[in-house]
Amino acid sequence: MVVYKLLSKLFGMKSVIQNQKYVLTFAFLTILSFGCIAQPKGETIYLKNCAQCHGSDLNGGNATSLIDGVWQYGDEDGYISRNIKFGIPNLGMPSYEETLSDSDIRALVQYIRESENKVGATPPPIPEKIETMDYDINVEIFVEGLEIPWAIDFIDKNTALITERPGRLRIVKNGILQDEPVQNIPEVLNEGQGGLLDVAIDPEYNENGWIYLAYSHALKSQNGDRPLAMTRIVRGKIENNTWTNQEVLFEAPHENYRPTRHHYGCRIVFDPWGYLYFSIGERGYGFEAQDVSLVNGKVHRINKDGSIPESNPFNFNDSAGKTIYSYGNRNIQGMAIHPVTGQLWATEHGPMGGDELNLILPGRNYGWETITYGKNYNGTIITEETHRPGMEQPVLYWKPSIAVCGLDFYCSSLFKKWENKLLVGALKYEEVRLLDIEEDRVMHDQIIFKGYGRVRDVSTGPDGAIYIVLNDPGTVVRLTPDKN
Ligand code: HEC
């Protein structure tokens, strides 16, 4: 009754609200919602437990941002919950199994998601035109509605293949995405950063019809343990929209499979001499990148049929080492062959502040995790060393990390001024850079596309257009110069 009187006085609503019951309900709801605003559970728990490392605005500090859309250890709620519950001990992410209940953790994940949505997680609509120093550019949506597209390659002018990480190979015919994915492709482990990764068309496709895939492959679980996984390379053909004639070109020895779900690599490229190169990330085992008897943290080279080239630098080594071309590579997700020199270039994700562009030479050691320009994500030093004799220096490194992903030399005359320049994609910074390379140096670096979503892959199409694969929402855009 008191509340009723007070409210009616306060709001002068006596004449409007005749029924006391409504007023009481209104008062009750007001108090309740006020209580909720003052004490949202997720936020309270966050500020108490997490803010000192991930920042009070969730945007990072001593540890990585939780709202930049980059999830290194899995982007689904289940992974995020698990990372909170069990921690990532070797990186300094504590476990909260003892101190937080499952419902606390659910509230935290919800709070992180809400905060993520607030910071413009949805990029602005893609414009029809953009300007760069050299060209005014028309931007078209080539395909949309994809789910985590990872890579694009072209069979011919009218046919593109796109991988979707959850495990689908899609065909785009005359600019139209075919509804039905290619049937019967190998089963992939769609967890964390794993899934269906790269697709590459044989340079002699017209004669042989081969298509190459890279994906994360899981072994059968032993005694109900978490299945072990590693990057695997296969080739096959597409007939009647079905994957056939599959050959496994590379499968790691099973003792080299790992339980983690990140840092798989993996790009596939061919050089002018017919060799096939692919990358495997260190799978979260940094020190193993230095061990040339293990496949992780390496660039590998094989013949297109899976046999091992005589001239491979570690051919004398045990079987695991024979395919290795370079080592000490953390997680390469961009590889391209220079159209004139035939040399292999690669971009690799570093830790905080250590993304690298490297010219990959046979038998060389690229230093991870003995030397690096990056720090651990919690800000602790991995190593003071940035140089060491016998270890290669990057041609360029990005500090802070832009999260390099996707790489291609622009090799057409449509954008005449950009011929043989290097297109570099970036997830975190949502951009495509164009680098002028002379011999083994970067002479100039400009951003040509930025702010429309995380970039997974960049590619010169057979029509000379530049194709950019955006992660979220899953879209491929096509850039052509404006003639006017
Ligand atoms: C002592 C510092 C510290 C505290 C406290 C901490 N974290 Fe972390 N957290 C880390 C580090 C370091 C990582 C690893 C980051 C990396 O390598 O990307 C991490 C990673 C994570 C990840 C995985 C991020 C990804 O990219 O997949 C999540 C999710 C996360 N933390 C949530 C939380 C939450 C929620 C709390 C509070 C309950 C919390 N953390 C408290 C240091 C901390």
Side-chain angles (χ1 to χ4, degrees):
M1 259 350 277
V2 181
V3 176
Y4 170 62
K5 278 198 181 133
L6 219 120
L7 274 173
S8 348
K9 238 194 197 127
L10 209 64
F11 296 112
M13 289 192 295
K14 198 169 185 175
S15 55
V16 184
I17 304 169
Q18 301 296 340
N19 192 331
Q20 304 180 6
K21 251 198 272 170
Y22 287 140
V23 178
L24 283 171
T25 317
F26 173 71
F28 179 65
L29 285 176
T30 310
I31 290 161
L32 193 82
S33 62
F34 182 72
C36 284
I37 290 160
Q39 279 238 309
K41 188 176 171 192
E43 184 174 359
T44 313
I45 304 171
Y46 180 84
L47 290 173
K48 184 155 170 256
N49 296 282
C50 325
Q52 73 266 33
C53 288
H54 294 284
S56 51
D57 56 359
L58 298 89
N59 214 355
N62 293 327
T64 184
S65 166
L66 298 178
I67 48 172
D68 61 0
V70 180
W71 295 105
Q72 307 226 37
Y73 303 99
D75 50 11
E76 285 158 34
D77 289 2
Y79 287 106
I80 297 172
S81 307
R82 196 145 72 208
N83 288 333
I84 299 171
K85 187 164 181 176
F86 302 113
I88 314 173
N90 56 336
L91 293 177
M93 165 67 196
S95 153
Y96 289 89
E97 198 179 4
E98 312 264 287
T99 46
L100 296 178
S101 68
D102 284 353
S103 98
D104 288 346
I105 292 176
R106 264 198 304 279
L108 269 174
V109 174
Q110 198 188 345
Y111 173 64
I112 293 171
R113 289 298 191 205
E114 282 163 5
S115 312
E116 196 178 29
N117 289 338
K118 269 189 226 147
V119 258
T122 336
I126 289 159
E128 284 175 14
K129 288 201 189 307
I130 52 172
E131 285 174 16
T132 63
M133 233 158 32
D134 301 317
Y135 294 99
D136 288 347
I137 292 179
N138 295 322
V139 184
E140 277 166 75
I141 303 225
F142 179 60
V143 196
E144 56 192 339
L146 297 162
E147 186 184 356
I148 318 184
W150 213 89
I152 187 165
D153 202 359
F154 297 84
I155 289 181
D156 55 42
K157 259 196 164 150
N158 307 319
T159 321
L161 293 182
I162 298 174
T163 54
E164 290 179 298
R165 199 177 65 188
R168 284 182 298 271
L169 181 60
R170 307 293 300 266
I171 300 182
V172 183
K173 252 212 139 34
N174 301 316
I176 296 163
L177 179 67
Q178 307 298 295
D179 288 338
E180 180 98 335
V182 175
Q183 300 298 298
N184 205 30
I185 65 155
E187 189 182 331
V188 306
L189 179 70
N190 171 30
E191 284 183 20
Q193 296 175 356
L196 181 58
L197 305 175
D198 209 12
V199 56
I201 313 291
D202 195 301
E204 277 113 41
Y205 178 85
N206 287 342
E207 289 92 70
N208 62 32
W210 288 117
I211 295 162
Y212 300 74
L213 296 177
Y215 66 99
S216 16
H217 171 243
L219 299 177
K220 288 235 152 42
S221 159
Q222 304 284 331
N223 324 316
D225 288 348
R226 190 177 160 85
L228 303 174
M230 193 51 82
T231 313
R232 194 191 208 207
I233 310 290
V234 298
R235 70 173 178 183
K237 301 183 181 188
I238 298 176
E239 285 166 15
N240 303 323
N241 206 39
T242 305
W243 183 253
T244 60
N245 297 64
Q246 176 170 296
E247 294 176 1
V248 177
L249 303 184
F250 175 86
E251 179 170 320
H254 290 182
E255 59 275 14
N256 200 169
Y257 275 54
R258 294 289 175 261
T260 45
R261 296 293 185 258
H262 61 291
H263 297 180
Y264 286 97
C266 177
R267 292 288 175 189
I268 300 173
V269 291
F270 306 94
D271 75 7
W273 302 279
Y275 294 123
L276 182 163
Y277 300 81
F278 61 92
S279 55
I280 304 187
E282 34 86 305
R283 305 285 288 100
Y285 296 78
F287 54 97
E288 295 187 350
Q290 288 295 320
D291 184 340
V292 290
S293 69
L294 298 171
V295 304
N296 41 329
K298 313 289 172 345
V299 173
H300 297 259
R301 182 173 77 167
I302 54 178
N303 296 314
K304 291 194 302 188
D305 62 1
S307 60
I308 297 170
E310 282 284 323
S311 56
N312 266 11
F314 297 100
N315 207 353
F316 57 86
N317 209 317
D318 64 27
S319 58
K322 284 186 194 225
T323 55
I324 293 174
Y325 188 72
S326 76
Y327 63 112
N329 298 110
R330 185 171 179 268
N331 190 26
I332 292 181
Q333 293 198 324
M335 289 212 292
I337 297 286
H338 192 289
V340 178
T341 66
Q343 282 178 313
L344 175 63
W345 290 74
T347 45
E348 81 180 50
H349 292 281
M352 216 159 72
D355 285 6
E356 296 182 358
L357 171 69
N358 286 303
L359 172 59
I360 302 288
L361 298 169
R364 302 286 177 94
N365 178 357
Y366 290 82
W368 179 251
E369 76 177 353
T370 311
I371 57 169
T372 176
Y373 287 88
K375 288 183 176 163
N376 271 324
Y377 285 96
N378 60 3
T380 59
I381 306 283
I382 298 167
T383 161
E384 294 283 358
E385 281 183 90
T386 54
H387 290 69
R388 202 187 256 204
M391 294 187 185
E392 300 304 308
Q393 281 296 303
V395 173
L396 187 71
Y397 65 89
W398 285 274
K399 204 173 179 140
S401 295
I402 59 174
V404 279
C405 197
L407 192 70
D408 197 19
F409 282 96
Y410 180 73
C411 47
S412 166
S413 52
L414 191 61
F415 290 96
K416 189 79 194 132
K417 294 178 196 158
W418 290 356
E419 230 173 319
N420 300 337
K421 295 189 184 183
L422 187 62
L423 296 159
V424 180
L427 287 161
K428 187 165 184 167
Y429 274 45
E430 304 188 349
E431 63 193 22
V432 176
R433 288 171 172 262
L434 187 73
L435 270 48
D436 260 4
I437 307 251
E438 258 169 49
E439 295 187 9
D440 57 359
R441 299 220 321 252
V442 176
M443 308 308 281
H444 188 248
D445 175 1
Q446 61 170 305
I447 295 170
I448 59 164
F449 186 85
K450 185 173 176 73
Y452 303 105
R454 305 166 66 213
V455 176
R456 278 265 174 224
D457 199 11
V458 278
S459 184
T460 317
D463 56 355
I466 295 172
Y467 291 81
I468 302 175
V469 177
L470 299 170
N471 191 70
D472 33 33
T475 307
V476 179
V477 297
R478 177 171 179 271
L479 309 188
T480 47
D482 191 345
K483 297 284 179 324
N484 305 314

